[in-house]
Amino acid sequence: MEDDFIPVRLSVNGVPHRLFVEPRRTLLDMLREDLELTGTNAGCEHGSCGACTVLLDGQSVRACLLLAVQANGHEVTTVEGLAQHGRMHPLQEAFWEKQALQCGFCTPGMLMTAYELLQQNPDPTEEEIRSALSGNLCRCTGYQHIVEAIRLAAQRLREGAEAATSSGTTA
Amino acid sequence: MTTTVSERAWIGKDLKRREDPALLMGTVTYINDFKIAGMLHAAVLRSPYAHARIRAIDTSAARALPGVQAVLTGKEAAEVIGPVPAFCAEPVVEHAIAVEKVRYAGEAVVAVAAESRALAEDALDLVEIDWEPLPAVTDALSAMQPGAPLVHENLGTNVVYDHVFTFGDVDGDFARADHVIRRRLRWPRATAAPLEPNGAVCAYDPARDTMEIWSNTNMLNSASWVMSSMLKIPPHKLNFYPMYTGGSFGSKHFLAKVIGIAGALSKVTGRPVKFMEDRLDNLMANDSQGPERLYEAELAVTKDGQFLSLRLRTIDDYGAYFIFAITGNTNMMAQITGPYTIRSVETGIKAVLTNKNQQTVFRGAGSDVGNWVLERLVDAAAEQLGIDRVEIRRRNFIQPDQFPYKIPTGNVYDSGNYPGVLDLALGHFDLDAWRQQQAQARQEGRYLGIGLATAQQRSTYSSTEFWFHNPAPATGLNSTPESVRISVGPTGGVTVTMFSPFWGNSPETVVAQVVAEELGIDPRDVNVTYDSTAHALPSAGPGGSRMTVMLAGAVHGAAARLKEKIFKIAAHMLEASVSDLELVGGQVRVKGVPSSSVSLADIGMRAYWFKLDLPPELESGLEGTFTYDHPYTTKPHDDRKDLGVFYPIMGHAAHLVAVEVDIETGAVRFKKYVAVHDVGTVLNPRSLQGQIRGGIAQGIGLALLEEVRYGPDGQNLTSTFVDYLLPSASDVPAIEVYHHETPSPFTAYGVKGGGEGGRMVAPPAVTSAIEDALRPFGISIDEMPITPEKIVRWVKEAQSRHQRQTN
């Protein structure tokens, strides 16, 4: 088994990569160990805590439950891909303002889940947010500040989109 | 102390946390992210049996696997490391890797270091063990029976500690009572389960006999000398580096086992070794399970509802080891009589060993249990005497003019305003409206319940609680200092150095706010950093809701020392007298003459690089260090009739909760949750609200969901997050949090610690609400978690009782 390294080509946060991995290597281990993208955390490694949530072609997945080889030919987005040119994404800004984190360990997974939610539903209700987050465990915050942060980010993103439309520019 | 509330520029402000940007962008280094050149990875083989003797271990195939650098059995590890450090007086010995026999399912038996974690785990599959399974004992009551299998043969019993503490005239007060309220109560075994498991990287240098240790342990300074005996390296040759910690809640105090395993493997390989627990490791063997207690509880009450005395007998299941002795029970003696004027108390403690992972501490550290037990009794007294639950509490509150107030155990409460907190909570809840809704709902066949808890949240531990349960002349530690260093650099930049790690709270934000307050600068301009133990000043680290109090005191003291030198240099530069100077906005100026001023940058440059222009008695450099000791603690009396002052910085909270219980499904839905907390002066309201809401979420988890369960054979049935249920976003409601501020007379700025309060008060409030909802069925709730299955069963039982009676 140890001799069967398999080539994987993928794009992570817009950067193309080609590497050779063991068939058993998880996407999580490949991101953290091979690509040194340690923002994505390992909380349970059996798919129940959501700390390792990343996007695969825009859809949230548990990086601990996916094999690296399954990401071959796909685009992966991790928490490191949210900020642009050192500027935090509006979700990150809102999490900061609302103190939607304490130890920060679940936060990257929360952000990626919230990012996907706002792509699909730009104006979610509190109940829709809580439902979307139900697969992401947080042991510190009690979730309320996270819910508030996502609502705030949603509002700002909507206002930003409206402003962009009304001024005739493209986002 | 130095400033009044109205003058404060930064204390009490909702500043965004400075810890957050790195956490949000994924750029912090948690222990699992840490790498060092040449580092090997460890994995641990765990016992499949709860109780078994190890006859023989064959590791030859594991050793032969390419890439494996070391395989250690417990016996082999014991040649390079000693036992896990323990704080108990009793001879209960634990090893990081079990020697001769295992005492719980999941105990470490073999550790491997290999070039990768996956390889190390492959090697574990090749280990052969010849086991002699022994009968396991998995509940405290069976463990106490004569002839029960012994967890530790050398003790001759599983009852490792048994003592009754009496404070005041308990028998007399019970004889004088008109009523004795009795309840048999059961508190479930829970566990902290932070999302980040425990880990360590140990790098042994055989040439110098030194070891560098990176770990998410919370008690770095204590760790050095405590772990020296285990690692068999002198304390001054150990250097612990603080790491960002992904949550602790009491579960990461020492982490001796992960450090012992990585340390032993590093010693035998001569290479750095990382051991990172996975979730299974953590839930089976983290040594941080909470109390599991059975109580016989009695409250002596007069006919008009005055509480006279409290009598408790507990049997507490400590699991297989006893490293913190009965800390969870001594802790609750700090506030055992709650916010009430109960004048005598007796508490009998039987600590029992069983074949489970051991109990240490979990947010609340036993005082969470005490609150629940007392509030259960108070609710029962109200019901039995026909007095309103709010009214009976009011009649027994310690009044604001009675502080400082000494409780029967000897601990002192510094300050408080319990009627004020309750009034604020009632003002936000609208009890009358909820009672009307409740009556209306009952007519419709729906069950609303209103819950109330008024309870204490002690903060700022002193270390006598670790040993005062032993009879005199036994003594132990009695200091818990915390230190900081504030440096002003040659260009005026201010850096604060801490010697305890970030563990999920807001130490950097707190420190920046306080230093900004003291130096009149903007907290965003302050740099905050950490240093390793080799360079550290005395610092006990986080635990027992102490860090905000202790860091505020340390910064306050260090700033005073720093300002003394700043003013001396400035006076020299301005040719003025120190008493004529003031520090405003980063400038030292002559009072009333704003044009005559020098900046911190001017003073810094002078201090570092212009020695000949300094006052001659001053040395170069510009820094202030301060070690802040516990503000108020005393030793226990030799007769232990008075335990001394050991947890005097006393917070308080009132929670009011409305729930609806579906008696068909057993589901509990929160309709309203109001929490008012008084933890003295508030440093950062939003950050405190986060602590409170997060604590309440854990309390709700305990009340409704969480329990570490073992099968009759001692198998851990809750070793994954699929089985050990943490509350999710759908389980925790929005919680209204309000602050009431009664400053402490003993601490800097009057702050008290608030880190544990939410979890310490939510369980009795939620239990009270569900019991109130089920009142038509006459159900009294004596245990947690209150699962849907139990609610449905209790209601069915009550209905069939009712039917039998009417037939």
Side-chain angles (χ1 to χ4, degrees), chain B residues 37-68:
Chain B
M39 187 176 85
L40 300 170
H41 297 262
V44 165
L45 185 63
R46 300 194 173 276
S47 168
Y49 295 105
H51 198 193
R53 216 169 291 285
I54 303 164
R55 285 207 199 97
I57 302 180
D58 181 356
T59 58
S60 52
R63 283 174 211 277
L65 190 70
V68 170

Side-chain angles (χ1 to χ4, degrees), chain A residues 24 32-33 36 39 43 46 48 79 92 96 98-99 102-106 130 137 139-140 143-145 148, chain B residues 15 17 24 30 32-33 122 191-192 195 279 504 686-687 690-691 693-694 698 706 721 727 729 732 735:
Chain A
R24 65 177 177 179
R32 291 181 47 84
E33 304 292 330
E36 309 226 0
H46 50 246
S48 52
V79 69
Q92 291 167 311
W96 192 16
K98 292 289 179 185
Q99 291 200 15
Q102 286 172 34
C103 83
F105 201 78
C106 74
R130 286 184 181 270
L137 295 175
R139 193 56 158 162
C140 294
Y143 304 100
Q144 189 171 339
H145 295 192
E148 290 172 14
Chain B
L15 291 186
R17 298 201 320 164
L24 284 162
Y30 295 108
N32 198 24
D33 307 335
D122 289 344
T191 189
L195 280 193
R279 183 53 54 189
R686 183 71 176 173
S687 140
Q691 285 293 315
R693 291 195 170 104
Q698 291 186 352
E706 294 180 36
F721 279 154
V732 184
I735 296 157

Side-chain angles (χ1 to χ4, degrees), chain B residues 107-173:
Chain B
E107 186 162 12
V109 195
V110 173
V112 170
E115 300 294 340
S116 76
R117 171 71 178 234
L119 260 179
E121 290 183 18
D122 289 344
L124 296 179
D125 285 344
L126 303 174
V127 173
E128 298 281 345
I129 302 181
D130 181 10
W131 292 102
E132 179 194 341
L134 302 169
V137 58
T138 55
D139 75 279
L141 292 177
S142 322
M144 290 164 61
Q145 297 303 315
L150 292 177
V151 181
H152 291 264
E153 286 86 352
N154 62 316
L155 297 176
T157 173
N158 291 320
V159 182
V160 64
Y161 181 89
D162 187 357
H163 188 73
V164 178
F165 292 86
T166 308
F167 306 97
D169 182 15
V170 175
D171 289 343
D173 283 336

